[in-house]
Amino acid sequence: MDKQTFSNLLKRYLNEELSQEEASRLLDSLGDPDMRRQWEQAVGGMLRDKSAHGQADPARMDAIRHRILSGTGKPVPQRSIVRKLRPVWAAAAVLAIAAVGFFWMRTSGPKPLVADGEAQLQVVPGGNKAVLYLAGGQAITLDTAGNGAIASQGNVQVIKLDSGQLAYQGAGAQGDVTYNTLATPRGGQFRIILPDGSSVWLNAASSLRFPTAFNGKERVVELRGEAYFEIAKNVQQPFRVQVKDMTVQVLGTHFNVMAYEDEATVRTTLLEGAVKVNQGGHSLDMRPGQQVTAHPAGNMSIQDGVDVEEAVAWKNGYFHFNHESLPGVMRQVGRWYDAEISYEGAVPDREFGGKIERSSSVKDVLKILELSGIRFRIEGKKIIVIP
């Protein structure tokens, strides 16, 4: 692509005249060092001029992204759009969107380079994968199991639905309680409908232990990793999520809990309803739009007005970074692509923001990160960060 064509495409994007095919051409231009320099100059100028790309208006950027996917080429009105529009990006359009300001970087690093080792690429996006461990110790690999009844736990039938999720059907017997555990690997996620009708989405490298029937005075499950909950309301049977030394108590609500071992804190984000978070004899009541952070020392803090879409982005099929450090970004990438992350030299001080579809190839994700001047090398299932 010559420089004039590149400049025209970029200008037409800003004028909201760019089709998906043309976005692909912009993406391909990154393979040319001269074009990459033009990208860098254009990104720098646009990030300094918010009025040119509408970065200050997230709804506006959602509208632009939606128009590119539809390929209509029609102008997008500047009035607000439905914020819950799911941002499913075409992989070819990801870098074009990122370069005009939706994906921003706060950095002054060296020139970006294309990732090495693509011929050895073994790192692929995750998918619907999980193992169910029954009360007797039997393990069922759910991603290869057929639909229909796959196991019995007393009077309860374990069903794999046509939609790929797991459900428990049956009244359950009074008396001894039996427990199952649903575990996702790195690069996996799964949804389950619990015996009480509550839905739980389990993120990669996570596990949920739960009874096959909720017969007691309360409903208690144990979480490791990350999960999003939509709890069936039952005033007579409060629902509790046990996470390490912390408990989240609810009646009926929607919330997300992030409690990975390799993260410094446990974060509970409330989308709907009300919950109470208890830790070490202390408790905090939460309202929608709040996030409670539990620290290793045992203290908790609460934050108002958080971006709840960021907290549940993984459930909706994309990464959402907001002032996220490079190690934080790479931990998420490593879990979803089942890749080991290592660093050569000091860890670069970078902050990232934006959205990337989780079905994107790891190459596309790394190309976006490389716009901040960080390089990567892929060796088998290892991603090596090169400052």
Side-chain angles (χ1 to χ4, degrees):
M1 182 190 303
D2 59 69
K3 294 182 179 180
Q4 185 60 44
T5 302
F6 172 85
S7 299
N8 289 339
L9 285 176
L10 199 56
K11 181 178 180 180
R12 290 184 59 216
Y13 176 84
L14 293 177
N15 290 332
E16 301 179 359
E17 299 170 355
L18 193 65
S19 68
Q20 184 173 345
E21 179 181 353
E22 290 167 326
S24 299
R25 294 180 65 191
L26 277 177
L27 174 63
D28 293 340
S29 73
L30 285 170
D32 185 313
D34 289 337
M35 294 297 102
R36 289 187 69 88
R37 283 192 286 273
Q38 287 198 57
W39 272 100
E40 295 163 27
Q41 294 170 2
V43 169
M46 292 175 210
L47 292 178
R48 288 189 295 271
D49 182 11
K50 293 183 179 180
S51 64
H53 52 72
Q55 182 186 10
D57 184 355
R60 177 72 169 152
M61 295 310 297
D62 274 345
I64 293 174
R65 185 170 65 253
H66 180 61
R67 183 189 62 76
I68 289 177
L69 285 175
S70 67
T72 61
K74 297 177 181 178
V76 180
Q78 294 199 24
R79 61 179 180 273
S80 112
I81 63 170
V82 179
R83 293 301 305 278
K84 291 186 178 180
L85 174 66
R86 183 182 176 186
V88 182
W89 295 10
V94 171
L95 285 178
I97 296 166
V100 296
F102 187 63
F103 197 100
W104 52 262
M105 289 82 55
R106 192 183 72 183
T107 176
S108 57
K111 300 292 185 182
L113 299 175
V114 177
D116 296 326
E118 291 179 5
Q120 307 175 42
L121 188 63
Q122 299 178 23
V123 182
V124 297
N128 217 33
K129 305 173 187 175
V131 176
L132 177 67
Y133 296 92
L134 302 178
Q138 179 186 358
I140 301 175
T141 304
L142 297 176
D143 38 305
T144 57
N147 295 332
I150 59 175
S152 296
Q153 298 286 269
N155 295 332
V156 177
Q157 290 287 312
V158 184
I159 310 293
K160 184 180 178 185
L161 303 177
D162 293 344
S163 57
Q165 58 191 329
L166 201 64
Y168 281 67
Q169 299 178 0
Q174 297 290 335
D176 293 340
V177 178
T178 59
Y179 285 86
N180 287 180
T181 298
L182 179 66
T184 55
R186 291 169 63 88
Q189 63 180 29
F190 216 85
R191 180 184 175 186
I192 180 173
I193 301 175
L194 295 176
D196 66 337
S198 298
S199 291
V200 183
W201 286 256
L202 207 59
N203 202 355
S206 302
S207 67
L208 185 75
R209 183 175 183 266
F210 55 92
T212 57
F214 293 110
N215 295 324
K217 295 182 179 179
E218 60 182 6
R219 299 166 287 170
V220 181
V221 301
E222 300 174 23
L223 172 68
R224 295 175 65 89
E226 182 169 22
Y228 170 76
F229 296 83
E230 291 187 354
I231 302 305
K233 189 171 184 178
N234 186 339
V235 177
Q236 282 71 42
Q237 239 185 352
F239 194 101
R240 300 178 189 273
V241 181
Q242 188 68 41
V243 185
K244 300 180 181 178
D245 62 343
M246 187 188 82
T247 301
V248 181
Q249 178 180 341
V250 305
L251 293 176
T253 188
H254 300 177
F255 61 98
N256 191 85
V257 180
M258 192 282 292
Y260 285 109
E261 295 292 339
D262 59 355
E263 298 288 347
T265 60
V266 176
R267 294 196 295 271
T268 303
T269 309
L270 183 61
L271 285 78
E272 180 181 309
V275 304
K276 177 180 289 187
V277 180
N278 302 288
Q279 183 187 41
H282 302 283
S283 65
L284 289 173
D285 294 317
M286 296 182 65
R287 300 188 308 273
Q290 291 184 325
Q291 184 177 85
V292 165
T293 301
H295 303 272
N299 58 313
M300 295 188 295
S301 59
I302 192 166
Q303 180 181 355
D304 293 312
V306 298
D307 185 351
V308 296
E309 291 184 6
E310 176 186 356
V312 299
W314 65 269
K315 179 186 78 73
N316 295 328
Y318 59 96
F319 298 105
H320 186 165
F321 304 123
N322 184 10
H323 291 279
E324 186 64 70
S325 67
L326 177 62
V329 169
M330 296 311 297
R331 283 194 296 271
Q332 293 191 45
V333 169
R335 291 182 200 120
W336 183 239
Y337 291 90
D338 187 18
E340 178 186 350
I341 307 298
S342 65
Y343 297 83
E344 288 188 353
V347 178
D349 182 16
R350 302 285 192 275
E351 285 189 349
F352 299 86
K355 299 179 183 179
I356 313 172
E357 189 182 0
R358 297 222 299 182
S359 63
S360 300
S361 73
V362 72
K363 180 176 67 173
D364 283 342
V365 174
L366 297 182
K367 277 185 177 180
I368 291 176
L369 300 179
E370 284 183 332
L371 291 173
S372 70
I374 298 168
R375 296 177 297 159
F376 300 90
R377 185 172 71 252
I378 299 177
E379 296 179 355
K381 294 183 71 66
K382 178 186 287 189
I383 300 174
I384 302 169
V385 184
I386 308 171

